[in-house]
Amino acid sequence: MAESALARAAVVGPFPAPGAAGGDLLKGAAATHDGVRWDLRDDRGEASAGRAAAEAIVADGRYTLVIGHFNSAGARAAIPVYRAAGLPVLLPLATAPRLLDGRLATALRWCPDDLAQLAELQSAIERAGHQRVAGTSDGSAYGTTPAEMVLALPGAAPQASGAEDDAATALFVFGTHVRAG
């Protein structure tokens, strides 16, 4: 198939370190599909860079689809730009609740939002027989919101010294895959 005849899709994510692992997931998935020209656009996982990437994609005018942004901050900043242009978006990992409310009719979120994930997490904690929940975050925007949601559960507490050795306590560390690890 001639290069000019290929459909063009922008793949937006964090491609340099420290978010490169997320970008690598997007690149790997795109590489498995023929018949589409996949153009990688870096948003560094940041809201301002996400909006700038969206503006550049729309200004280019040759894209029929956007896959990304990898996180909610970039997606929230970019969605109004795509909405105004009528450009469809697939959000692989943007999990903020109500991110798509009244936003973009041609958007699809690939994974459950934070509220659905919290419900499943709470169910898993109960099935495992844990009586308490302790948690912390890496301090990033990505980790703080889910940590606050878990800590709002009945009986939850910030991580206490020794909690990781307590079989009755489910311990969570939320954050970016790089910093929380």
Side-chain angles (χ1 to χ4, degrees), residues 131-134 150-158 169:
Q131 287 90 37
R132 291 178 299 283
V133 178
V150 166
L151 291 174
L153 293 173
T169 302

Side-chain angles (χ1 to χ4, degrees), residues 54 57-59 79-88 104 106:
I57 289 164
V58 168
I79 285 173
V81 177
Y82 299 133
R83 180 185 66 224
L87 192 57
L104 181 64
T106 57

Side-chain angles (χ1 to χ4, degrees), residues 91-156:
L91 302 169
L93 288 173
T95 60
R98 296 172 297 285
L99 181 64
L100 300 179
D101 290 357
R103 299 282 181 153
L104 181 64
T106 57
L108 173 65
R109 186 194 311 254
W110 195 253
C111 64
D113 71 16
D114 292 338
L115 297 174
Q117 291 182 49
L118 179 63
E120 182 56 33
L121 186 60
Q122 188 170 15
S123 176
I125 291 166
E126 291 169 5
R127 286 191 313 269
H130 297 293
Q131 287 90 37
R132 291 178 299 283
V133 178
T136 188
S137 85
D138 67 354
S140 69
Y142 194 73
T144 301
T145 299
E148 289 171 349
M149 292 171 67
V150 166
L151 291 174
L153 293 173

Side-chain angles (χ1 to χ4, degrees), residues 10 22 29 56 72 135:
S72 298

